[in-house]
Amino acid sequence: MLSGFLKRLMLFVRRGRFRSDLDEEMAFHRAQAEREFAAQGMKAEEARYAAMRQFGNATRLREKSEEVVGFRVETVFQDVSFALRQLRRNPGFGLMAVLILALGMGVSVAIFGFVDAALIEPLPYAQPNRLVDVTEMAPGWPRSNLSLPDYEDWKRMNTTLSSLEAYGYTGYLLRMGLTTEPVNAGRVSDGFFRTLGVKPILGRNFLPGEDRPGGAKIVILPYGTWQKRFSGRANVIGQSVSLDGNNYTIVGVLPRNFVFAPEGSAEFWVPLLDKNGCDQRRDCHNLFGMGRLRDGVTVGAARADFKRIAAQLEAQYPQSNKGQGAFVQPLAELIVGDVRPILLTLLAGALLLLVIACVNVASLLLVRSESRRREIAVRGALGATRARLVRQLVTEGLLLAGAGCAAGLLIAMWTMMLLTNLVPKPMAEGMPFLSSVGLNAHTGWFAAGVALLAALLLAATPALRLAGTDVDLRNALSEGRHGSAGRFWRRLGSNLVVVELTIAVVLLAGAGLLGKSFYKLLHVEFGFDTTHLVTMDVMARSDHYKTVDQMVALYRQIEQRLQELPGVESAGITTDLPVGCNCDTNWIRIPGKPYNGQHNEVNDRQVSPEYLPALKAKLIRGRMFTENDDASHPQVIVINEALAKKYFPGEDPIGQKIADYKLDSDSIAEIVGVVGNVREGGLEQDIWPAEYEAIYRAKDTYFSVVVRTQGDEKALLPGIVSTIKKIDPEIGIQNEQTMEQQIDSTQAALLHRFATWLVGVFAALALVLGVVGLYGVIAYSVSQRTREIGVRMALGAQRGSVYALVMRQALVLTVVGLGLGLVCSVAASVLMRKMLFGVEAWDLPTLLAVVVVLGAAALAASFLPAHRAASVNPTEALRAE
Amino acid sequence: MAKKPDLLPGTLDMLILKTLARGPLHGYGIAQSIKRLSEDVLTVEEGSLYPALQRLLLAGWLKGEWKMSETNRRARFYTLTRAGRKQLGVEISEFEQMIAAIGRVLAAPEEA
């Protein structure tokens, strides 16, 4: 066995010698035979021919001998070089096939890269699938924040988690050198990083007990902050940093790859420490929980555990905890739950595109193999066996697949980079997986799988074609009839085209529905004029503005200065900007109405008198706030229409009173106005009841400013920012942008825009490929039927009937493709219902538009060959063969 | 054109080995020898002969040597090796067993 292999190897290495030996041997053989014939009395010439005839095809004989001893490597080389020659002779075909394949492969691998990073690759923590998101649950609010007292009870009472940590958002005015700027920060319980399994690369973690009130002010830096603000100096540990005028000691630096998506923008991490006003109340929810399951405990068991505790607390604190349940889900769900449907939709779209690309290339190969029938027949007649011919075709298919996949990988890498960079920064902060998108083991395997499938398909198609037609070589050689083989191909080719058209319809319909959803999303009822409006978040030092009077003076000064700016129409102040979230709520109670303790959740905003008019919110009844609605006057309130409808059905709310759920005497306010529903929550969210209180009674140091301008609002932004800064250089300003920018960059808008564009691109590609496929089939069929058409025309067929003949074939294919596609697309749309907004899966106008677009494109594509058919010159067509 | 009967599968190797057992010969000589000895019944086609020779060389049953032929041209002469001689014995006994078996089948009386 081994010696045989070695001999083969020797022969392979010395194959030149082997071949010349064999040639000489055979030449000798022929010479001897020639002598013999001559001896029998033949003329020299005749003898030579007789010998050659007897000997047969020398090349074939040599090949057979080589097959015995060789590795077949040589024939592979031959096949490859022949295939390359073929492709070179027809570069258009090769280029087209490689390009289409590369596109399909590149796009699908790229999208898979995202799916892999987001849904398959676990979070960058120790045993990430044991981490859970733990929060409270309120009516109409499946995942609501957790109050600190509840958290402390939950932590103490649960039996299913090995640890439960809390985290919340906070912001500070960071002072470095002479500049003050607002920064986002995370407030966490001391075990937060230990529970995630994250160890600082410098310094230490928070230690148990370091989050208690009165503890030392310490801070841990994320890697990015360390690099950006401290130039990555190793001696930062022990140094102090000024946050809100307090010195915090840096105790640690987190690893580079650490990111906690819910607080992606946090630049500093501090322990919970001193309880703020909200922390002390069981009914003030400002935190979230994150925990690690004990070994063997399921998420379901943990959920049951927390529901039990929540019920217990509800019994114990019937006022604050009425209806407050518990919500537990895998932490991964919190981070990728929003993008999963989109990613899966995109993956499905990309795979469909891949299928269409493969089908397209396969049918290209088919057409080509059809036009090469004569060549193949000649090679068969010259002694090539069926197996050899098939191998040749398979080699060509593999070569195309190989080139296509190599190019596809390049496209994939480029697409992944492009898409990653397209994600806006605020959104990217919530998507930690983006950093791990790229070529890795998983995407590599996926790419290899796709490549293998493509190779199989491209190799199998021509091989099947050759086997399926049972080539009668002599018949093909004489090119007598196109009949049987043509029909076979026509049927297969037509079926492939129907598949392409069906997929194109599905993708077009998907893109249409997503596009319509996106449009509807951007055109929801806002309840205010979103144009010519700029917004920004403002933060003032709470140690500088300690009293309501000081604070109100600042509010008034800001509004006044801004209104003096040229181009500014009006300026107002609010605690929460619109198109944000249904959050910062209050539990209300209507004095004098029956109340059973339920939490009537309403959006609660403190606003200045100019705020609602600046938005151009519609006043429906009563009045807006005035300058007099401050602490020295009775407390009044403005409500939105939704609140009026829900809590004062069929009544006039003006003059009625609203209080908090405890009916605190200082919370009772008189309703003086009803405004139209201003969209406080996200684009895709329902309108909630809302109440507006006078901010001139409050001392919020963190607030937002809205400015209505006359002209280009973008141009005024810098002036507005510097005007506020001039009032107090230590004021921090963040997120200055136009309202339209804010709307465009909401998560819902971004996700929908992303999905719409990508699926739109897929659909456009699918449309082009499908129509090109249709064109190919019809054009081929016309070229095969030239003679028939010539006969028809010679017998008196009119041009019109020739058009009809060709167009009918195209029409049948298009109609079948459209029909199948519509059925499939309704099914597909039902599957992606989650991503649709304001559109039904069977949206008729969208489907109709798809039919029109595809139908028109298909007819245009078949018109060209039909025109060619109709311009056939009968005499030439008949003479052609 | 009428085809001559094919050799029984596997018998070509045996015939080549047997022919070479009588002494070294070149390819043409082997073909001629088989033809002559079989009284023109068996014709070894060149298309089968040379691949078979390569196969036997590879198996180590033959050795090839370039020598001068009777016509004063270089020719590759094949010689049986020791392993080849053993293989010839094996092939002959297998062949005889098969012939005997076929004979028994053919000799069976026909039943009505």
Side-chain angles (χ1 to χ4, degrees), chain A residues 18 24-25 29 31 35, chain B residues 46 50 54 73-74 76 78:
Chain A
F18 171 84
E24 186 173 352
E25 201 168 11
H29 193 122
R35 275 167 61 107
Chain B
E46 291 75 3
Y50 285 96
Q54 298 303 331
R73 258 184 87 156
R74 243 163 61 95
R76 178 144 55 178
Y78 294 93

Side-chain angles (χ1 to χ4, degrees), chain A residues 483-795:
Chain A
S484 59
R487 205 172 302 133
F488 169 83
W489 141 241
R490 212 153 49 224
R491 215 174 304 135
L492 183 56
S494 305
N495 292 343
L496 289 182
V497 163
V498 167
V499 170
E500 288 185 71
L501 292 177
T502 304
I503 292 177
V505 170
V506 171
L507 284 173
L508 279 174
L513 289 175
L514 285 174
K516 196 161 175 181
S517 297
F518 183 44
Y519 180 85
K520 290 238 165 158
L521 197 64
L522 288 186
H523 292 83
V524 287
E525 200 64 50
F526 284 101
F528 65 97
D529 183 359
T530 58
T531 60
H532 300 302
L533 207 56
V534 298
T535 65
M536 65 206 65
D537 297 327
V538 179
M539 210 171 166
R541 288 273 296 264
S542 51
D543 51 340
H544 289 185
Y545 300 90
K546 285 184 176 145
T547 67
V548 173
D549 285 347
Q550 284 172 325
M551 204 57 228
V552 170
L554 178 64
Y555 297 148
R556 289 200 154 122
Q557 204 177 359
I558 289 177
E559 286 180 315
Q560 201 183 339
R561 291 279 178 84
L562 289 181
Q563 263 151 12
E564 286 164 5
L565 277 180
V568 169
E569 222 168 74
S570 55
I573 288 175
T574 177
T575 45
D576 301 78
L577 286 171
V579 201
C581 55
N582 287 324
C583 56
D584 284 344
T585 55
N586 186 20
W587 296 335
I588 60 159
R589 180 171 169 182
I590 317 297
K593 290 208 173 190
Y595 181 68
N596 59 10
Q598 83 275 14
H599 293 161
N600 296 320
E601 204 106 39
V602 305
N603 282 322
D604 179 31
R605 276 95 182 89
Q606 282 78 47
V607 301
S608 70
E610 272 304 311
Y611 171 72
L612 287 169
L615 286 185
K616 293 195 180 164
K618 200 166 66 183
L619 181 66
I620 291 173
R621 290 189 60 78
R623 66 168 175 92
M624 298 280 198
F625 291 113
T626 66
E627 289 292 317
N628 289 330
D629 293 320
D630 58 18
S632 62
H633 291 82
Q635 195 171 343
V636 295
I637 207 163
V638 172
I639 61 173
N640 73 353
E641 233 181 330
L643 195 151
K645 240 183 217 147
K646 185 164 179 193
Y647 296 102
F648 301 98
E651 294 171 61
D652 184 1
I654 303 295
Q656 307 241 34
K657 299 228 159 42
I658 282 188
D660 73 4
Y661 77 114
K662 288 186 281 195
L663 224 53
D664 277 345
S665 58
D666 60 356
S667 75
I668 299 175
E670 186 187 326
I671 300 172
V672 294
V674 179
V675 292
N677 295 327
V678 170
R679 176 166 291 275
E680 298 290 344
L683 298 174
E684 77 290 12
Q685 288 174 330
D686 293 333
I687 295 286
W688 281 21
E691 59 177 12
Y692 301 90
E693 297 175 291
I695 202 170
Y696 287 174
R697 307 171 62 88
K699 51 167 190 162
D700 281 300
T701 51
Y702 188 81
F703 54 95
S704 301
V705 174
V706 300
V707 182
R708 176 157 305 277
T709 67
Q710 273 151 358
D712 179 14
E713 66 272 28
K714 245 181 242 168
L716 287 173
L717 254 178
I720 292 171
V721 170
S722 65
T723 303
I724 299 176
K725 274 277 196 186
K726 253 181 251 160
I727 296 169
D728 177 353
E730 287 211 69
I731 280 180
I733 296 177
Q734 257 182 322
N735 306 325
E736 57 274 21
Q737 59 188 344
T738 70
M739 179 50 78
E740 277 162 347
Q741 285 171 334
Q742 188 194 333
I743 290 169
D744 280 350
S745 61
T746 53
Q747 169 136 337
L750 286 174
L751 289 181
H752 272 81
R753 178 178 299 122
F754 224 64
T756 304
W757 272 107
L758 281 178
V759 175
V761 169
F762 295 173
L765 290 174
L767 178 68
V768 169
L769 291 182
V771 169
V772 165
L774 179 71
Y775 169 80
V777 164
I778 301 297
Y780 176 73
S781 148
V782 166
S783 75
Q784 293 291 289
R785 292 168 74 185
T786 307
R787 192 194 180 114
E788 175 205 324
I789 292 168
V791 171
R792 280 171 189 262
M793 288 177 81
L795 292 178

Side-chain angles (χ1 to χ4, degrees), chain A residues 4 7-8 11 17-18 21-22 24-29 31-33 35-36 54-55 61 64-65 68-69, chain B residues 26-28 31-32 46-47 49-51 53-55 57-60 66 69-71 73-76 78:
Chain A
K7 273 185 197 164
R8 272 167 199 253
L11 281 171
R17 171 78 190 280
F18 171 84
D21 276 2
L22 203 61
E24 186 173 352
E25 201 168 11
M26 293 191 301
F28 173 75
H29 193 122
Q32 290 290 32
R35 275 167 61 107
E36 190 113 331
Q54 188 193 354
F55 201 82
L61 201 154
K64 264 168 93 178
S65 299
V68 171
V69 297
Chain B
H26 46 65
Y28 183 76
Q32 290 302 310
E46 291 75 3
L49 176 66
Y50 285 96
L53 285 172
Q54 298 303 331
R55 198 163 51 235
L57 272 176
L58 203 61
W66 287 95
S69 76
E70 56 275 26
T71 54
R73 258 184 87 156
R74 243 163 61 95
R76 178 144 55 178
Y78 294 93

Side-chain angles (χ1 to χ4, degrees), chain A residues 24-58:
Chain A
E24 186 173 352
E25 201 168 11
M26 293 191 301
F28 173 75
H29 193 122
R30 270 198 302 276
Q32 290 290 32
E34 202 179 316
R35 275 167 61 107
E36 190 113 331
F37 286 126
Q40 284 166 16
M42 279 193 197
K43 280 188 204 142
E45 189 87 330
E46 280 173 37
R48 188 145 57 87
Y49 282 126
M52 277 164 72
R53 220 170 17 246
Q54 188 193 354
F55 201 82
N57 183 337

Side-chain angles (χ1 to χ4, degrees), chain A residues 330-383:
Chain A
L331 187 65
E333 190 62 34
L334 170 67
I335 293 167
V336 300
D338 285 342
V339 293
R340 178 182 296 120
I342 288 186
L343 282 177
L344 291 182
T345 304
L346 290 181
L347 185 64
L351 289 179
L352 284 179
L353 193 66
L354 177 66
V355 170
I356 233 183
C358 284
V359 165
N360 210 291
V361 174
S363 52
L364 273 178
L365 270 180
L366 272 180
V367 172
R368 225 169 91 83
S369 73
E370 192 61 27
S371 61
R372 280 172 61 189
R373 273 168 76 226
R374 193 193 262 268
E375 170 213 324
I376 287 167
V378 167
R379 299 179 65 213
L382 290 179

